[in-house]
């Protein structure tokens, strides 16, 4: 069965009992060195002096088996972090039998161990101050946390307010565009009504002129028409063999803007029984 010891900070101490798993290793090391709150990590040196981690039950069993097979003792290297103060009297014997240890360290004197214990005992006198400092630190951390929370809430509210302002600006822009479109549409409708009125007025004037022309007596036609009637030399009149009154009606239709197709004008007059008004309205309908 392999012997076991532990080495820490130049001290090597034998371990009581037989470590069978990682928990018994840690308990034995704490008892041997007087550790209470330190965080401990373990390793061991194989036959090639390579450091092998020792952190699980299977690794402890493997290390013990190899040490027993080689006929050597198992030396556990200890790394302590955190609160490495010695709160308990060390129980491990600093004298180890045998000369087959892998590493040799200087052993601490008894006076040095006693001085360490006295120093740790004096450090216990100020736990209240340490608790006060811890409480003040917790209060400060809570205040900082609350301030950070308030700042985040303030930023969130500002973002919400900005979103509302942007939304209102977008709605106002939409209303302005709608008002502008409505104004343009109203202006176009007004222009269309004015144009319609102008067209109706011009049509009324044209009809009035037609009625005035229809109301004139044949004797009131212009001098050129009367001269042409009197001369009796119009080729069209000769061709159509029209009497003076009929020819006068044809000329009146021509003067009213229905063209100089006298044959057509005469045919329309005949269809409407020489009624100048009826003939004019028929020609307007054909236009």
């Amino acid at each position: 069965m392999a012997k076991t010891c532990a080495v820490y900070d130049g001290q090597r101490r034998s371990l009581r009992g037989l470590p069978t798993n990682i928990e018994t290793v840690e308990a034995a090391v704490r008892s041997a060195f007087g550790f209470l709150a330190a965080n401990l990590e373990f390793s061991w040196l194989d036959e090639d002096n390579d450091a092998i981690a020792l952190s699980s039950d299977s690794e402890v069993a493997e290390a013990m088996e190899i040490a027993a097979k080689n006929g050597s003792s198992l030396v556990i290297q200890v790394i302590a972090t955190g609160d490495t103060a010695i709160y308990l009297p060390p129980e491990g014997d600093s004298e180890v039998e045998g000369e087959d240890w892998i590493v040799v360290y200087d052993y601490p004197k008894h006076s040095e161990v006693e001085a360490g214990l006295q120093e740790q005992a004096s450090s216990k006198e100020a736990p209240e101050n340490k608790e006060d400092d811890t409480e003040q630190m917790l209060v400060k951390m809570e205040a900082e946390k609350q301030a950070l929370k308030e700042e985040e809430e303030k930023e969130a509210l500002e973002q919400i307010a900005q979103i509302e302002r942007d939304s209102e600006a977008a709605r106002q822009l939409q209303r302005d565009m709608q008002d502008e479109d409505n104004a343009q549409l109203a202006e176009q409708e007004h222009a269309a009504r004015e144009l319609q009125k102008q067209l109706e007025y011009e049509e009324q004037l044209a009809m009035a002129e037609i009625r005035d022309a229809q109301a004139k007596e044949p004797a009131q036609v212009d001098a050129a028409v009367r001269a042409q009637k009197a001369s009796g030399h119009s080729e069209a009149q000769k061709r159509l063999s029209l009497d003076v009154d009929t020819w006068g009606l044809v000329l009146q239709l021509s003067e009213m803007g229905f063209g100089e197709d006298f044959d057509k004008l005469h045919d329309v007059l005949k269809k409407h029984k020489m009624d100048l008004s009826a003939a004019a309205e028929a020609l307007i309908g054909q236009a």
Side-chain angles (χ1 to χ4, degrees), residues 13-16 27-34 88-94:
R13 297 183 181 276
S14 61
L15 301 181
R16 294 183 177 181
V29 170
R30 290 187 185 277
S31 176
F33 288 95
L88 300 173
E91 297 179 358
D93 187 359
S94 62

Side-chain angles (χ1 to χ4, degrees), residues 9 13 63 68-69 80 139 155 162 167 174 205 215 221 243-244 280:
D9 195 22
R13 297 183 181 276
K69 184 182 297 184
V139 171
E155 292 179 358
Q162 184 62 42
S167 299
Q174 185 176 6
L205 290 178
V221 295
D243 58 75
V244 175

Side-chain angles (χ1 to χ4, degrees), residues 201-212:
Y201 176 71
E202 292 178 355
E203 183 178 359
Q204 290 175 0
L205 290 178
M207 292 302 298
E209 292 179 356
I210 292 174
R211 286 193 293 270
D212 290 343

Side-chain angles (χ1 to χ4, degrees), residues 242-243 245-247 249-250 265-279:
L242 301 178
D243 58 75
D245 293 334
T246 302
W247 180 243
L249 294 175
V250 172
L265 299 178
H266 181 243
D267 291 339
V268 173
L269 282 170
K270 287 195 299 180
K271 289 181 181 180
H272 293 83
K273 299 179 180 181
M274 298 303 171
D275 186 338
L276 184 63
S277 298

Side-chain angles (χ1 to χ4, degrees), residues 3 25 36 39 51 57 79 107 109 143 158 161 180 212 218 236 274:
K3 298 179 180 179
V25 169
L36 180 63
N39 299 319
D57 296 345
I79 301 176
Y107 301 136
K109 296 178 181 180
E158 180 61 27
E180 184 177 354
D212 290 343
M274 298 303 171

Side-chain angles (χ1 to χ4, degrees), residues 26 29-31 38 53 65 78 89 106 113 137 159 171 177-178 182 197 210 232 236 241 269-270:
E26 182 175 350
V29 170
R30 290 187 185 277
S31 176
E65 181 181 354
V78 180
D106 294 330
V113 175
M137 183 180 296
Q159 291 178 356
R171 288 192 295 268
M177 294 176 63
Q178 185 64 40
N182 292 337
K197 290 180 181 179
I210 292 174
S241 300
L269 282 170
K270 287 195 299 180

